Amino acid sequence: MYALVTDGTITKYFSYPKGFTLGDLQYPKDIFMKWSVSEKEAIGIYEVVFDNSNKKDEQWYINTNQSFAFADGTVTASYGTATPKAHADTLWTAQDETDGKGTEGEVATRGLKYNLIQTLKSQVAGILNDTDWYITRNAEKSTAIPSAISTHRDAVRTKQAQMETAITNASNTPALETLYTYTTDSDGVQSRPLGELPTLEI
């Protein structure tokens, strides 16, 4: 991405190379690939430098739109401070009820906690469904359920209960994010996040 800077002000953006007119001159799109950096900057064309230091995972945060600035010979695209998504449900207020939007005290918008728990329940149901046939076969034919299967199903349910408690008790959005974040120690060993469900090993 490039920007055209005129008298210290960004006046045009180029998402991709294309021809353009500057003053009385027409420039072909080839200049973006063929001209040197100094040649492009001599006519005010600067490649945009992206600063994503404030950009956060959109599963947990609402990022701002990018803003563009020209300073010290560089055009920078950056984000403002991200806003954490609501971790708890938002309820209708008395004013909302007066305005006819909803009933006071009832849920207006579900927060991350509710959505994460619903996703967890769905994931657990899918995992257990893969081995439900062992349970059905046992009920119909009295065929023993392999111990590894029983151990796995118990581990999944234990993890589900652990996670639901952790999600419910999380004090804010960053605390929720931590439950799903891989960590690496000083030896380079990666640890699974608390929110990762057990896999079946036979």
Side-chain angles (χ1 to χ4, degrees):
M1 183 177 185
Y2 291 85
L4 173 62
V5 177
T6 305
D7 296 328
T9 301
I10 300 171
T11 57
K12 189 178 182 67
Y13 298 100
F14 302 90
S15 299
Y16 55 89
K18 63 179 180 179
F20 64 97
T21 300
L22 182 59
D24 296 326
L25 299 176
Q26 175 71 37
Y27 294 90
K29 67 179 182 180
D30 289 358
I31 71 164
F32 290 94
M33 287 76 73
K34 294 181 178 180
W35 283 21
S36 67
V37 171
S38 59
E39 287 175 325
K40 288 193 288 281
E41 291 184 354
I43 64 169
I45 299 295
Y46 292 80
E47 186 167 4
V48 176
V49 175
F50 292 92
D51 177 4
N52 293 329
S53 56
N54 283 337
K55 187 178 182 182
K56 293 196 173 186
D57 190 333
E58 293 181 353
Q59 179 179 357
W60 312 105
Y61 296 87
I62 300 171
N63 288 298
T64 67
N65 292 326
Q66 285 180 311
S67 60
F68 296 82
F70 177 70
D72 300 323
T74 302
V75 174
T76 304
S78 59
Y79 291 87
T81 302
T83 303
K85 292 184 177 179
H87 65 285
D89 292 343
T90 301
L91 307 180
W92 295 114
T93 65
Q95 186 60 53
D96 291 329
E97 185 168 354
T98 299
D99 295 339
K101 295 179 179 179
T103 302
E104 180 183 2
E106 292 186 355
V107 176
T109 306
R110 289 295 186 184
L112 287 173
K113 289 185 177 183
Y114 175 87
N115 292 328
L116 289 171
I117 288 176
Q118 296 310 304
T119 297
L120 176 65
K121 290 180 183 295
S122 178
Q123 290 172 333
V124 167
I127 291 172
L128 294 179
N129 183 63
D130 290 339
T131 54
D132 277 348
W133 67 274
Y134 286 101
I135 313 303
T136 302
R137 185 179 67 174
N138 174 262
E140 293 181 349
K141 301 295 184 180
S142 298
T143 303
I145 301 170
S147 60
I149 298 301
S150 295
T151 298
H152 170 66
R153 290 172 68 88
D154 288 344
V156 170
R157 292 191 181 95
T158 298
K159 173 62 77 170
Q160 177 185 7
Q162 182 184 22
M163 272 303 293
E164 287 195 19
T165 298
I167 290 170
T168 299
N169 292 339
S171 59
N172 53 33
T173 297
L176 288 173
E177 183 181 13
T178 299
L179 299 177
Y180 294 85
T181 302
Y182 283 89
T183 56
T184 303
D185 63 20
S186 58
D187 295 324
V189 178
Q190 191 175 60
S191 299
R192 293 180 175 181
L194 184 63
E196 185 169 294
L197 293 169
T199 55
L200 177 60
E201 297 180 3
I202 299 178

